[in-house]
Amino acid sequence: MSRSLDIAARRFRLAQAFTISRGARTEAVVVEVRLSGETATGIGECVPYARYGESVASVTEEIEMVRGDLETGLSREDLQERMAPGAARNAVDCALWDLAAKEAGCRVWELPAYRALGGAPSPKPEITAYTLSLESPEKMRESARQHAHRPLLKIKLGGQGDLERLKAVREGAPEARLVIDANEGWDGPTYAAIAPELVALGVEMVEQPLPAADDAALEGMARPLTVCADEAAHDRTTLGALAGKYDMINIKLDKTGGLTEALCLRTEAEALGLKIMVGCMVGSSLGMAPAMLVGQGAALVDLDAPLLLAEDRDTPLVYDHQGIHPPAPALWG
């Protein structure tokens, strides 16, 4: 078997600056992988994330280390052992799924290997959250007002004045469902004090309120609303440490290392009684396409990154009143 591998960094401008507790960005920077066989080319995308020690250079180097194996036919199954979970493996894994579907002349969800991993057949649109960037209460109120028509808003918090921000959002979007993401920005006492207020404001879920390294404080603590693990949940090996602390996990392909592990993680997490959220880094429609399959029927879907972009792929995902639609063949899968 002979293949060729191409790796490239791509940049997509954001419509406006996007801010979380760890900083702001004005563009999405992704690493794109193209794996070409004799009759087709599979494509995948990942977002290197500094929180996990990743950069465009480090991710590219990881992929280069398996170039020879990939070009001589490394299978998707063997890839799981050859590369560690993370952004680099995600791009390659998704490119291999795309290549397999194109070579078989079908969609990814029609592949027997996908069905064997518990993938849902015939994907349908899913309502996705729309994320409001961390700003002053006044700016967040106005942003909420502009997006009050959206059924589900995700609010970025994680700093002094969070309660004022959230109250402002609720004023701006009185009917929207609300979930919040503290991005590890609180400590135990802060969460314990603010949780009843969150419930009173109609918040349904809080994502990673404490730093992953300090989340032992959540064990045994009253959780009046759903607590979701993000930075604390990566692949199946991290599930054991979540018991008694979290009620939900946020599955992101850049953390799991691709669609393959994401499907397996979802199955095992559900067996443990954990609810499922499927999220994303700030990438293009190509990065959301495989995640959309994992999000079928999930309790929460947060795959809105393309809605934050000023520019996207030539064949972007479709978002409408039904939510995010399955990808067209020209995009992925």
Side-chain angles (χ1 to χ4, degrees), residues 12-306:
F12 297 88
R13 290 180 296 108
L14 300 186
Q16 60 187 37
F18 183 76
T19 305
I20 65 172
S21 63
R22 285 189 285 270
R25 68 182 67 187
T26 58
E27 62 180 3
V29 183
V30 309
V31 173
E32 177 183 293
V33 166
R34 290 180 179 269
L35 193 59
S36 301
E38 294 180 2
T39 61
T41 296
I43 184 171
E45 169 188 299
C46 71
V47 180
Y49 200 46
R51 167 64 177 79
Y52 304 130
E54 296 172 335
S55 66
V56 168
S58 73
V59 164
T60 301
E61 182 179 4
E62 280 188 72
I63 300 170
E64 286 288 0
M65 290 178 66
V66 295
R67 173 183 289 275
D69 292 335
L70 284 169
E71 292 188 334
T72 55
L74 181 70
S75 70
R76 181 182 47 77
E77 292 80 4
D78 289 340
L79 175 73
Q80 312 309 309
E81 302 299 324
R82 289 285 283 110
M83 297 185 75
R89 193 178 76 185
N90 177 32
V92 177
D93 183 80
C94 291
L96 283 167
W97 278 108
D98 188 39
L99 180 60
K102 288 174 177 173
E103 289 180 335
C106 67
R107 304 309 307 272
V108 160
W109 51 86
E110 296 172 330
L111 291 170
Y114 174 81
R115 299 288 183 86
L117 292 176
S122 303
K124 296 176 174 58
E126 290 282 346
I127 293 295
T128 179
Y130 181 85
T131 305
L132 300 186
S133 177
L134 177 66
E135 299 285 357
S136 68
E138 294 75 24
K139 288 184 177 180
M140 294 186 77
R141 181 187 293 108
E142 180 55 32
S143 183
R145 190 171 288 128
Q146 293 175 11
H147 296 283
H149 64 285
R150 300 184 187 275
L152 176 62
L153 296 178
K154 177 177 171 178
I155 317 304
K156 288 290 187 179
L157 298 175
Q160 188 174 4
D162 276 346
L163 193 55
E164 287 71 25
R165 292 185 180 95
L166 189 55
K167 288 178 178 177
V169 167
R170 179 49 85 195
E171 290 170 4
E175 303 300 324
R177 295 170 56 206
L178 298 182
V179 296
I180 61 175
D181 185 1
N183 279 118
E184 304 182 281
W186 297 343
D187 56 22
T190 298
Y191 169 70
I194 203 174
E197 301 271 9
L198 302 179
V199 174
L201 288 166
V203 173
E204 298 180 13
M205 179 275 286
V206 56
E207 189 177 346
Q208 202 64 52
L210 275 57
D214 300 326
D215 65 359
L218 290 171
E219 195 163 2
M221 184 184 292
R223 297 197 295 274
L225 75 162
T226 298
V227 179
C228 180
D230 182 5
E231 286 84 354
H234 291 253
D235 61 357
R236 283 173 289 173
T237 65
T238 63
L239 282 175
L242 306 182
K245 304 174 188 175
Y246 300 95
D247 312 292
M248 176 183 285
I249 64 166
N250 188 347
I251 298 176
K252 294 178 179 175
L253 271 63
D254 280 313
K255 294 188 301 178
T256 67
L259 176 61
T260 302
E261 177 62 20
L263 292 170
C264 295
L265 174 60
R266 174 170 176 160
T267 297
E268 290 201 14
E270 288 179 327
L272 293 173
L274 290 164
K275 298 176 184 177
I276 302 300
M277 174 181 183
V278 176
C280 63
M281 307 303 186
V282 183
S284 80
S285 282
L286 178 60
M288 306 307 112
M292 192 269 171
L293 302 185
V294 186
Q296 293 294 295
L300 282 169
V301 173
D302 179 26
L303 298 175
D304 64 335

Side-chain angles (χ1 to χ4, degrees), residues 297-321:
L300 282 169
V301 173
D302 179 26
L303 298 175
D304 64 335
L307 297 176
L308 308 177
L309 300 179
E311 53 191 1
D312 197 0
R313 299 284 175 173
D314 291 340
T315 306
L317 288 168
V318 172
Y319 292 81
D320 60 20
H321 68 282

